[in-house]
Amino acid sequence: MSITYNQLVDRIKTTTEDVSAEFVTDIPFFIERAEARLTREIDSYGVVQYANSNLVAGDAFITKPLDTLIIKNLNILKTDGTRINLLQKTDEYLNDYWPQRTSTGVPRYYANFGFDNLLIAPTPDQNYSCEISYIVQPTAATSVHQENFFTEYCSNALFYASMKEACMFMKNYSAAQVWEQEYQRAFTDLLNEARRTRQDDMRNNASPAGGDNTLVKGSN
């Protein structure tokens, strides 16, 4: 079930039975915090975007897309058309593995280097096209932008998380706990849905990164 921003605002006012100017003024902040929470807690393709970029020969760094929260994957494309999936490591690992950044080779690893950049190792020996998949904060739902991924596909969780924020604002902490429980139930449903999208054989939930299965099996 989807919901528009205005419908969500009305539901919050109706459920809390609070239409005071102070409360209504803060409703956009309740929704904003609820959206930020969902972005960081759910693991859905709905918050994943893709961008094309380039690795430059001799340059060990690449800038992340401006709206990046989490890098999910980085692929490079060799001149013969071969696609190479770079493995994520820590920057400490890369500094130990490739201590001389002026030396070059075919890239194998990447690591977060600060909030805005990625460190590549080995340092690229030539220019490479690359594709980055990353998690973003979706465009916020507002009175102007009535719908986004959360209002369309996560409306229950969005409403419950917003109500939790509203009750915290009203200092009604017992009610906040009730809405938190409702959110957790809706959140579990979203997690299960995400697991099912990653079933590699229609039976088992496998990690899209390969290797041992580290995902918890959900109900079908």
Side-chain angles (χ1 to χ4, degrees):
M1 181 183 71
S2 64
I3 190 172
T4 66
Y5 176 82
N6 286 346
Q7 289 172 335
L8 178 58
V9 170
D10 288 341
R11 285 184 64 185
I12 293 171
K13 290 190 291 187
T14 300
T15 307
T16 59
E17 298 181 334
D18 191 341
V19 291
S20 64
E22 181 184 42
F23 180 81
V24 172
T25 298
D26 267 51
I27 288 179
F29 299 105
F30 306 155
I31 298 173
E32 179 182 332
R33 286 193 289 272
E35 289 183 333
R37 180 179 184 181
L38 280 166
T39 300
R40 285 167 171 77
E41 292 186 352
I42 68 172
D43 187 21
S44 171
Y45 283 115
V47 293
V48 176
Q49 289 190 11
Y50 300 86
N52 295 315
S53 188
N54 296 284
L55 300 182
V56 178
D59 188 351
F61 299 95
I62 182 175
T63 302
K64 298 178 186 178
L66 290 177
D67 51 354
T68 300
L69 289 180
I70 302 170
I71 295 292
K72 286 180 62 68
N73 198 283
L74 175 60
N75 287 277
I76 64 172
L77 190 64
K78 298 178 66 175
T79 54
D80 63 359
T82 303
R83 183 179 291 272
I84 300 176
N85 181 39
L86 304 191
L87 300 179
Q88 182 176 7
K89 299 290 185 179
T90 63
D91 55 343
E92 292 88 354
Y93 180 94
L94 264 61
N95 288 333
D96 183 62
Y97 168 75
W98 203 257
Q100 182 54 264
R101 291 177 185 164
T102 56
S103 298
T104 62
V106 178
R108 295 182 58 188
Y109 306 110
Y110 73 93
N112 288 289
F113 196 84
F115 191 76
D116 298 324
N117 299 291
L118 296 175
L119 174 63
I120 308 298
T123 301
D125 57 344
Q126 58 181 284
N127 295 340
Y128 293 95
S129 298
C130 65
E131 181 183 76
I132 305 173
S133 62
Y134 58 102
I135 293 174
V136 301
Q137 177 74 50
T139 301
T142 65
S143 58
V144 175
H145 188 79
Q146 285 284 319
E147 297 177 345
N148 64 8
F149 172 73
F150 297 133
T151 63
E152 291 188 36
Y153 299 102
C154 313
S155 58
N156 286 340
L158 177 60
F159 172 63
Y160 300 148
S162 299
M163 283 299 301
K164 159 64 177 308
E165 295 294 335
C167 290
M168 293 296 291
F169 174 86
M170 296 185 295
K171 298 181 173 59
N172 189 344
Y173 302 120
S174 59
Q177 292 177 358
V178 172
W179 289 110
E180 174 65 21
Q181 291 171 359
E182 291 298 315
Y183 169 79
Q184 290 299 330
R185 278 192 281 269
F187 172 62
T188 299
D189 290 341
L190 291 171
L191 283 184
N192 186 54
E193 181 181 278
R195 293 186 186 109
R196 294 170 70 181
T197 64
R198 292 179 171 85
Q199 290 181 340
D200 62 347
D201 58 2
M202 302 308 294
R203 293 180 299 169
N204 298 320
N205 301 300
S207 169
D212 294 337
N213 182 1
T214 58
L215 295 179
V216 177
K217 185 173 179 60
S219 59
N220 291 323

